[in-house]
Amino acid sequence: MTYSVDIKPNEVAVYALGGLGEIGKNTYGIEYQDEIIVVDAGIKFPEDELLGIDYVIPDYTYLVDNIDRVKALVITHGHEDHIGAIAYFLQAVNVPVYAGPLAMALIKNKLEEKQMLNRVELHEITDGTVLEFDQLNVEFFRTTHSIPDVFGVAVHTPVGTIVETGDFKFDLTPTTKQPPNLWSMARLGEKGVLLMMSDSTNAERPEWTKSEAWVAKSVNRIFDKLEHGRIIFATFASNMNRVRMATDAAIAHGRKIAVFGRSMESAVTNGRALGYLNIPDNMLVEQSEIKHIPDDELLILSTGSQGEPMAALARIAEGTHKQIRLKPKDNVIFSSSPIPGNTASVNAVINKLEEGGANVIYGKVNNIHTSGHGGQEEQKLMLALMKPKYFMPVHGEYRMLKVHASLAHELDIPKDHTFILENGDVLALDGENARVAGHFPGDDTYIDGSGIGDIGSVVLHDRQKLSQDGLVVVTATIDLKKKEILSGPDILSRGFVYMRESGELINEGRRIIFGTMRRIMNNSNASEADIRQAVIDDLSRFLYKETARKPMILPMLIMI
Amino acid sequence: MTYSVDIKPNEVAVYALGGLGEIGKNTYGIEYQDEIIVVDAGIKFPEDELLGIDYVIPDYTYLVDNIDRVKALVITHGHEDHIGAIAYFLQAVNVPVYAGPLAMALIKNKLEEKQMLNRVELHEITDGTVLEFDQLNVEFFRTTHSIPDVFGVAVHTPVGTIVETGDFKFDLTPTTKQPPNLWSMARLGEKGVLLMMSDSTNAERPEWTKSEAWVAKSVNRIFDKLEHGRIIFATFASNMNRVRMATDAAIAHGRKIAVFGRSMESAVTNGRALGYLNIPDNMLVEQSEIKHIPDDELLILSTGSQGEPMAALARIAEGTHKQIRLKPKDNVIFSSSPIPGNTASVNAVINKLEEGGANVIYGKVNNIHTSGHGGQEEQKLMLALMKPKYFMPVHGEYRMLKVHASLAHELDIPKDHTFILENGDVLALDGENARVAGHFPGDDTYIDGSGIGDIGSVVLHDRQKLSQDGLVVVTATIDLKKKEILSGPDILSRGFVYMRESGELINEGRRIIFGTMRRIMNNSNASEADIRQAVIDDLSRFLYKETARKPMILPMLIMI
């Protein structure tokens, strides 16, 4: 691939490989002369139209092309959109990794799974850690989010300091007992910040995000009231603070804990191993044991708070869960907000649970969820603390970046000092001025199973088509030389329901293709490709006329 | 008066003369050995039961007794509850005064009125000013509130730093363009704060108070929409930022400005003179001129947003205002929240205005007001920035102080490091420990007209009684020696309506008193006082029996 990037020796360059115009695959580069520091290596979960794609990672081409200059991968925190691509990243660019304790533990798990652990250099950092490279120094400062060990990063360069806040809220009463380091941030701001990149997730919310302590109070109040019946507590497995809150409340109320859902099981295992969860062995019960525990002494911790159909909670609601059969006195707590797009499935699960007689506790009125990202007031506070000369909103869809930029204007950062960029855009700053100094490929790379980037847009297009009108396979064996059809044509369909049920349609289709094949074969120069295309064209036209559908047509012609 | 205060030489002492258990008369002392710094000299507006009292100030006895040690009065900002008592304070304790520009201008007005200006030493301060005394240094740091030039104060003592935040919110987009100095606050916190005293006004609100910029947007949006009719804008005259906002919006929308209400007129005069308001001469119109201005080119700025019956707005609503007669197309904006207790009168004014055909814009839904005080999130931020070893919530009623203290506990300030005190309590700190080291009189002093402290609780009790059941005066001329009643008894009443209307009751009362007087006089040792008391007792008993009321009975007996 070719691209044009022109960074001058007196400029620091800043860019996103992922994270701009999207929530996900956060990967930012900061380079000055011979050194490049990469911040985070995230994945993005595919949107619905990316069928069969497990996840999406950035295109690392630019970093691979400059591999000798890449000095470190520094990690802000242990969420998938910040560390999920680490194995792929290190396969492309094997550099030392610096991360806080929880992120480091999760990274080690990932690398172990890929049997890469012994080939990678890992260093644990904490609040205040400074990494010294030749010309660049990297300083970590503690922030707050929905898991422990979350940091912002300041990269000190000869032309100024570049700050990447990472995901943050200002939780001044964090249940982690790891408050944000306001003093560090103020000190950075006072010394002077050239450019700040800051989390835009909640830029559209004109508020101060509530503390986890506030959720903890509600959860404890709810546990107090629920004297009878089991409690099923559903949240994101990645929200370690919330998992801690639920398990603490259970223990305080004498309820044993059973864990359901693969990601929740591994969150609890990790959290206990690392000391983020404080669950004594005797308070944890096997899934198979829950039937022996009295209802009012049991907490079931479950995935599925987003209504995911395969998750534990949806299966409980449907009555298809192997170990858990819903009881009329069950209490189900949704400690989460539906992600836009999931509202319908969440509501469906809630309805099913309530139809089953359960007492479902959800929604804002119960004060059982708060975001891990700061609202406008917190974004303004970060801007006020850092007072950057230039501002680049990151970690958000386009409209979030826009709103975040307009907040910065309200804090007197001029419009021409604010950059709303795309993945691959290179921003170059010499301390006085800032300019876009080129662009490199910032496209998505799709991960399907264990392959990297072997899925292109054609494949995705096919999967989309298949998902809509199904598939029609045409089989035949043809002797091209003798211009004879030895067997077939036969027609098989999948996902094209109408045809499967109509022998008539199949028979008529077969007749048409038979005619098509004969016609093309009689043409003296006909190739296999010609026959294939003609079969597709004719059958497609016929099926559309009869059914108004356009299934994918796949001729499987054996030529002998 | 006697009191017992025992401060050791190695201790700094901190106390409130006013401001604890109340909103008002903020006056705090910080003393170390031979130096006392006083912060603020506020008044309190009397509560309803203080009839005829203009305002309430602290008892300055302790400071007068220690007058040689008082080195300075430092002022946080120019609101009445912080500077209103300055003339009385300086009459008691004439020390140099240090204040920011707006407060200083208002103070000069006050001292000029009392012809005290030439007898007082005044110094203007700003953000970052440090005053150096023998052992104490006083540092000012900028905060935000509802007027310009608002500061917190840090008093650096040999045993540690004492911070008094003053009134604050964290308005990160202040319309004053004077943002809070977060870096100063962080620096103070990082160096170490021994004790913080912090504004508790909004301790019961679990939120981040909205910025004035947010109100400004709404106000401008509303002005955009109101193309026809006059706009009457009512707010607190003391909210200089809001006055600025309204006048700026008027000018931007081509509306001339007329000002009604004494306090608003003086706010506008002051604000213009000091540069806080930017109203060109040709945009300001005399009250008498408003009838010549087209409705859609006029803004009327008015007092009375709290429904005060004598204020301009209530009189407009009643139709009793001399210059302003309500028109059906008038638009009335209430840019304020009813103070608890005023809701009914505010609603009454709104109803009257709407009955008169006006379009009234009020309440939360229109986003036209925000508090000048920070909510819990901002109080937590102040605690997090300063991280004080000890905490003393101030500027609030008891329950606000309590909630504020519990917020501090959530931020890991231990309960025994938090002091909820009363006016006159002396907190002594040696850097390691803190203890209550005595108490001096912290009572109210009532100001009625020009007198100071000449109103006692008896007078107030009388006024209260008068206000409830009225007054009955008994006149008679008595020759005590001859034991004769020369004239009377006659009975006059005021405010005791029933009796005025009933000749029967008066005649019966006269008969009874006549009997009483004769009975007492016949007693050989009867004094004037005996007769007075007997008249009161008997008439009181009779009137209560007949009317179930207890008017004040005032015998005016002439003894010859």
Side-chain angles (χ1 to χ4, degrees):
Chain A
M1 270 182 248
T2 62
Y3 47 82
S4 153
V5 172
D6 168 35
I7 305 162
K8 304 210 174 85
N10 65 334
E11 288 177 327
V12 58
V14 176
Y15 40 79
L17 288 88
L20 297 181
E22 62 189 355
I23 298 279
K25 67 183 169 67
N26 293 282
T27 312
Y28 306 97
I30 294 149
E31 70 172 82
Y32 180 78
Q33 295 179 1
D34 289 336
E35 295 179 325
I36 299 177
I37 305 295
V38 181
V39 180
D40 289 338
I43 52 161
K44 181 166 69 172
F45 291 101
E47 313 200 20
D48 283 348
E49 60 264 34
L50 297 181
L51 298 154
I53 294 300
D54 288 335
Y55 31 87
V56 183
I57 65 171
D59 179 342
Y60 295 128
T61 305
Y62 180 79
L63 294 179
V64 171
D65 289 351
N66 292 279
I67 195 160
D68 293 340
R69 299 198 289 138
V70 182
K71 298 304 168 194
L73 170 63
V74 302
I75 298 293
T76 60
H77 68 288
H79 274 158
E80 287 296 296
D81 55 338
H82 295 260
I83 62 165
I86 195 145
Y88 306 103
F89 180 92
L90 294 175
Q91 278 161 16
V93 189
N94 192 346
V95 293
V97 179
Y98 300 83
L102 176 54
M104 188 57 88
L106 298 169
I107 287 169
K108 283 182 179 166
N109 287 353
K110 284 178 192 296
L111 296 177
E112 222 158 45
E113 267 178 25
K114 302 258 176 191
Q115 292 168 322
M116 289 172 64
L117 196 49
N118 56 349
R119 287 186 279 131
V120 174
E121 186 184 330
L122 302 176
H123 301 277
E124 202 166 286
I125 59 87
T126 187
D127 186 28
T129 296
V130 178
L131 313 177
E132 296 186 4
F133 299 93
D134 257 12
Q135 305 223 52
L136 303 182
N137 286 352
V138 180
E139 180 185 347
F140 293 83
F141 55 92
R142 193 184 288 290
T143 61
T144 38
H145 186 42
S146 53
I147 53 169
D149 299 336
V150 181
F151 302 95
V153 174
V155 180
H156 302 289
T157 82
V159 297
T161 296
I162 312 295
V163 167
E164 211 282 275
T165 64
D167 294 11
F168 74 94
K169 66 193 282 190
F170 281 100
D171 191 337
L172 300 173
T173 48
T175 50
T176 54
K177 297 288 171 197
Q178 297 177 337
N181 193 334
L182 296 168
W183 297 344
S184 261
M185 298 182 217
R187 229 184 299 114
L188 284 167
E190 193 156 21
K191 282 185 195 156
V193 170
L194 179 60
L195 172 77
M196 180 167 83
M197 296 182 270
S198 181
D199 174 7
S200 308
T201 311
N202 281 348
E204 294 165 298
R205 297 197 191 176
E207 66 195 14
W208 181 277
T209 300
K210 292 260 190 296
S211 167
E212 280 290 320
W214 173 84
V215 180
K217 278 186 205 168
S218 311
V219 166
N220 274 297
R221 245 190 322 258
I222 290 169
F223 271 63
D224 284 346
K225 274 191 234 160
L226 301 181
E227 291 175 19
H228 305 295
R230 301 183 296 190
I231 297 179
I232 301 174
F233 191 99
T235 191
F236 285 114
S238 59
N239 192 331
M240 184 69 83
N241 296 355
R242 202 64 55 76
V243 173
R244 168 77 187 243
M245 190 184 297
T247 52
D248 280 359
I251 292 162
H253 289 80
R255 285 177 183 267
K256 289 199 157 70
I257 298 157
V259 184
F260 287 83
R262 204 173 63 93
S263 60
M264 193 62 85
E265 289 170 59
S266 91
V268 169
T269 306
N270 272 324
R272 292 183 78 208
L274 298 166
Y276 299 106
L277 301 179
N278 188 17
I279 312 174
D281 285 343
N282 68 329
M283 291 304 284
L284 204 62
V285 295
E286 291 295 322
Q287 296 179 354
S288 55
E289 292 301 305
I290 63 168
K291 54 183 172 291
H292 305 305
I293 310 284
D295 289 354
D296 57 354
E297 293 174 18
L298 181 63
L299 171 81
I300 292 171
L301 195 60
S302 168
T303 54
S305 62
Q306 290 298 313
E308 305 92 319
M310 298 307 292
L313 193 61
R315 287 183 286 129
I316 295 169
E318 292 281 357
T320 58
H321 195 282
K322 268 184 247 167
Q323 285 100 345
I324 309 175
R325 186 156 292 278
L326 198 67
K327 298 183 184 182
K329 277 199 178 162
D330 280 346
N331 303 287
V332 184
I333 301 175
F334 280 75
S335 186
S336 62
S337 266
I339 290 170
N342 290 354
T343 312
S345 21
V346 171
N347 288 344
V349 172
I350 291 175
N351 287 338
K352 281 257 164 58
L353 290 167
E354 289 191 333
E355 283 164 23
N359 166 33
V360 186
I361 296 159
Y362 64 97
K364 280 194 180 166
V365 69
N366 290 300
N367 300 345
I368 42 178
H369 180 63
T370 184
S371 174
H373 300 269
Q376 287 186 354
E377 295 301 348
E378 287 149 286
Q379 292 170 341
K380 283 160 65 180
L381 178 58
M382 187 62 93
L383 283 159
L385 283 166
M386 296 288 183
K387 235 182 232 183
K389 184 169 180 177
Y390 293 95
F391 178 58
M392 176 175 160
V394 298
H395 201 286
E397 297 170 16
Y398 182 71
R399 66 184 195 288
M400 302 167 189
L401 305 181
K402 282 276 282 188
V403 178
H404 202 177
S406 74
L407 280 185
H409 306 330
E410 286 186 35
L411 273 96
D412 297 324
I413 297 176
K415 289 206 179 185
D416 60 358
H417 282 209
T418 306
F419 291 87
I420 299 176
L421 300 181
E422 293 179 8
N423 294 331
D425 287 340
V426 177
L427 179 66
L429 310 100
D430 64 6
E432 289 304 315
N433 300 296
R435 67 191 180 93
V436 175
H439 185 89
F440 58 75
D443 300 331
D444 287 350
T445 302
Y446 303 127
I447 309 283
D448 182 5
S450 58
I452 305 180
D454 54 1
I455 313 290
S457 61
V458 174
V459 175
L460 285 169
H461 180 256
D462 286 355
R463 288 182 179 175
Q464 175 122 33
K465 209 167 155 55
L466 283 169
S467 77
Q468 280 166 9
D469 288 338
L471 171 77
V472 173
V473 182
V474 177
T475 55
T477 310
I478 295 171
D479 186 333
L480 248 189
K481 281 179 194 159
K482 294 188 178 164
K483 302 188 177 188
E484 266 177 42
I485 298 171
L486 302 181
S487 74
D490 283 319
I491 291 181
L492 246 173
S493 80
R494 288 289 179 274
F496 182 59
V497 184
Y498 188 81
M499 197 170 179
R500 281 171 76 187
E501 288 167 356
S502 164
E504 183 113 357
L505 198 68
I506 291 182
N507 287 340
E508 182 64 16
R510 288 175 62 193
R511 263 197 299 279
I512 287 171
I513 304 167
F514 190 82
T516 302
M517 287 175 169
R518 304 243 13 184
R519 178 165 52 84
I520 303 297
M521 278 193 297
N522 287 338
N523 182 326
S524 55
N525 296 324
S527 69
E528 181 186 341
D530 292 337
I531 299 172
R532 289 174 60 88
Q533 194 56 52
V535 166
I536 290 172
D537 291 346
D538 289 0
L539 184 58
S540 185
R541 196 176 307 114
F542 165 71
L543 291 176
Y544 186 74
K545 183 167 63 80
E546 295 292 319
T547 68
R549 295 184 180 202
K550 289 195 167 188
M552 175 180 291
I553 293 169
L554 203 59
M556 307 279 283
L557 307 183
I558 300 167
M559 303 289 170
I560 55 168
Chain B
M1 268 181 251
T2 61
Y3 46 81
S4 151
V5 172
D6 168 36
I7 305 161
K8 304 211 175 86
N10 66 334
E11 288 177 328
V12 58
V14 175
Y15 39 81
L17 287 89
L20 296 182
E22 63 190 352
I23 298 280
K25 66 182 167 72
N26 293 282
T27 311
Y28 305 96
I30 294 148
E31 70 172 81
Y32 180 77
Q33 294 180 1
D34 289 335
E35 295 179 325
I36 299 178
I37 304 295
V38 181
V39 180
D40 289 339
I43 52 162
K44 181 167 69 172
F45 292 100
E47 311 200 20
D48 284 347
E49 59 264 33
L50 298 183
L51 297 155
I53 295 299
D54 289 335
Y55 31 86
V56 183
I57 65 172
D59 180 341
Y60 295 129
T61 304
Y62 180 80
L63 295 179
V64 171
D65 289 350
N66 292 278
I67 196 161
D68 293 341
R69 298 198 289 139
V70 182
K71 299 304 169 195
L73 171 64
V74 303
I75 298 294
T76 59
H77 69 289
H79 273 159
E80 289 296 297
D81 55 336
H82 294 260
I83 62 164
I86 195 148
Y88 305 103
F89 180 91
L90 294 175
Q91 279 164 14
V93 189
N94 193 346
V95 294
V97 179
Y98 300 84
L102 176 54
M104 188 57 87
L106 298 169
I107 287 169
K108 283 181 179 166
N109 288 354
K110 283 177 192 297
L111 296 178
E112 223 157 44
E113 268 178 24
K114 303 257 177 191
Q115 294 170 319
M116 289 173 63
L117 197 49
N118 56 351
R119 287 187 279 131
V120 174
E121 186 185 330
L122 302 176
H123 301 277
E124 201 167 287
I125 60 88
T126 187
D127 185 29
T129 297
V130 178
L131 313 177
E132 296 186 3
F133 298 94
D134 257 12
Q135 304 224 53
L136 304 181
N137 286 352
V138 179
E139 180 185 348
F140 293 84
F141 55 93
R142 194 184 287 291
T143 61
T144 38
H145 187 41
S146 52
I147 53 168
D149 300 335
V150 180
F151 302 95
V153 174
V155 179
H156 301 289
T157 82
V159 297
T161 295
I162 312 294
V163 167
E164 210 284 274
T165 64
D167 293 11
F168 74 93
K169 67 195 280 190
F170 281 101
D171 191 337
L172 301 174
T173 49
T175 51
T176 55
K177 297 289 174 197
Q178 296 178 338
N181 193 334
L182 296 167
W183 297 344
S184 260
M185 298 182 219
R187 229 185 298 114
L188 283 167
E190 193 156 22
K191 282 185 195 155
V193 170
L194 179 60
L195 171 77
M196 180 166 83
M197 295 181 270
S198 181
D199 175 7
S200 308
T201 311
N202 281 347
E204 294 164 299
R205 297 197 192 176
E207 66 197 14
W208 181 278
T209 300
K210 292 259 189 294
S211 167
E212 280 291 319
W214 172 84
V215 180
K217 278 187 204 166
S218 311
V219 166
N220 274 298
R221 246 191 322 257
I222 289 168
F223 271 64
D224 284 346
K225 273 192 235 157
L226 301 181
E227 291 175 19
H228 305 296
R230 302 182 297 190
I231 297 179
I232 301 173
F233 191 98
T235 190
F236 285 113
S238 60
N239 191 330
M240 184 68 83
N241 296 356
R242 201 64 56 76
V243 173
R244 169 76 187 242
M245 189 184 296
T247 54
D248 280 359
I251 291 162
H253 289 79
R255 287 178 182 266
K256 291 199 156 67
I257 298 157
V259 184
F260 287 83
R262 204 174 64 93
S263 61
M264 192 63 86
E265 289 170 59
S266 89
V268 169
T269 306
N270 272 325
R272 291 183 78 209
L274 298 166
Y276 297 107
L277 300 179
N278 187 18
I279 312 174
D281 285 341
N282 68 330
M283 291 304 283
L284 203 61
V285 295
E286 291 296 321
Q287 295 179 354
S288 55
E289 293 301 305
I290 63 168
K291 54 183 172 294
H292 305 305
I293 311 284
D295 288 354
D296 57 353
E297 293 175 17
L298 182 63
L299 171 81
I300 291 170
L301 195 59
S302 168
T303 54
S305 63
Q306 290 297 313
E308 304 92 321
M310 298 306 294
L313 193 61
R315 287 185 285 130
I316 296 169
E318 291 281 355
T320 59
H321 196 281
K322 269 182 246 168
Q323 286 99 345
I324 309 174
R325 185 155 291 280
L326 199 67
K327 299 181 184 182
K329 276 195 177 165
D330 280 345
N331 303 287
V332 184
I333 301 175
F334 280 76
S335 186
S336 61
S337 266
I339 291 169
N342 291 353
T343 312
S345 22
V346 171
N347 288 344
V349 172
I350 292 174
N351 287 338
K352 281 259 164 55
L353 291 167
E354 290 193 331
E355 282 164 22
N359 166 33
V360 187
I361 297 158
Y362 63 96
K364 278 194 183 165
V365 70
N366 290 298
N367 299 346
I368 43 178
H369 181 63
T370 184
S371 174
H373 300 268
Q376 286 185 355
E377 296 300 348
E378 288 150 286
Q379 292 170 341
K380 282 158 63 178
L381 178 58
M382 187 62 93
L383 283 159
L385 282 167
M386 296 288 181
K387 234 181 232 183
K389 183 168 180 180
Y390 292 95
F391 179 58
M392 176 177 160
V394 298
H395 201 288
E397 297 168 17
Y398 181 71
R399 66 184 194 289
M400 303 168 189
L401 305 181
K402 282 277 282 190
V403 178
H404 202 177
S406 74
L407 281 184
H409 306 330
E410 286 185 36
L411 272 97
D412 297 324
I413 296 176
K415 290 206 181 186
D416 60 358
H417 282 210
T418 305
F419 290 88
I420 299 176
L421 300 182
E422 293 179 8
N423 295 330
D425 287 341
V426 176
L427 180 65
L429 310 99
D430 64 5
E432 289 304 315
N433 300 296
R435 67 190 181 94
V436 175
H439 186 88
F440 58 74
D443 299 331
D444 287 350
T445 302
Y446 302 128
I447 310 282
D448 181 5
S450 58
I452 305 181
D454 54 1
I455 313 289
S457 62
V458 174
V459 175
L460 285 168
H461 180 256
D462 285 355
R463 290 181 178 175
Q464 175 123 30
K465 208 166 156 56
L466 284 169
S467 78
Q468 279 169 8
D469 288 339
L471 171 77
V472 173
V473 181
V474 177
T475 57
T477 309
I478 295 172
D479 185 334
L480 247 190
K481 281 178 195 161
K482 294 188 182 167
K483 304 191 174 186
E484 268 176 41
I485 298 169
L486 302 181
S487 74
D490 284 319
I491 290 181
L492 249 171
S493 77
R494 289 289 179 273
F496 182 59
V497 185
Y498 188 82
M499 197 166 179
R500 279 170 77 189
E501 288 167 356
S502 165
E504 183 113 0
L505 199 66
I506 290 181
N507 288 339
E508 181 65 17
R510 287 174 65 193
R511 259 196 301 280
I512 287 171
I513 303 168
F514 190 83
T516 302
M517 288 174 171
R518 303 239 19 178
R519 179 167 49 85
I520 303 297
M521 277 190 297
N522 286 338
N523 183 326
S524 56
N525 296 322
S527 67
E528 181 186 340
D530 291 338
I531 299 172
R532 289 174 60 89
Q533 194 55 54
V535 166
I536 293 171
D537 289 349
D538 287 2
L539 186 56
S540 186
R541 197 176 304 116
F542 165 70
L543 292 176
Y544 186 74
K545 182 168 63 81
E546 294 294 317
T547 68
R549 293 182 182 202
K550 289 195 170 187
M552 175 179 291
I553 293 170
L554 203 58
M556 308 279 282
L557 307 182
I558 300 169
M559 302 290 170
I560 56 171

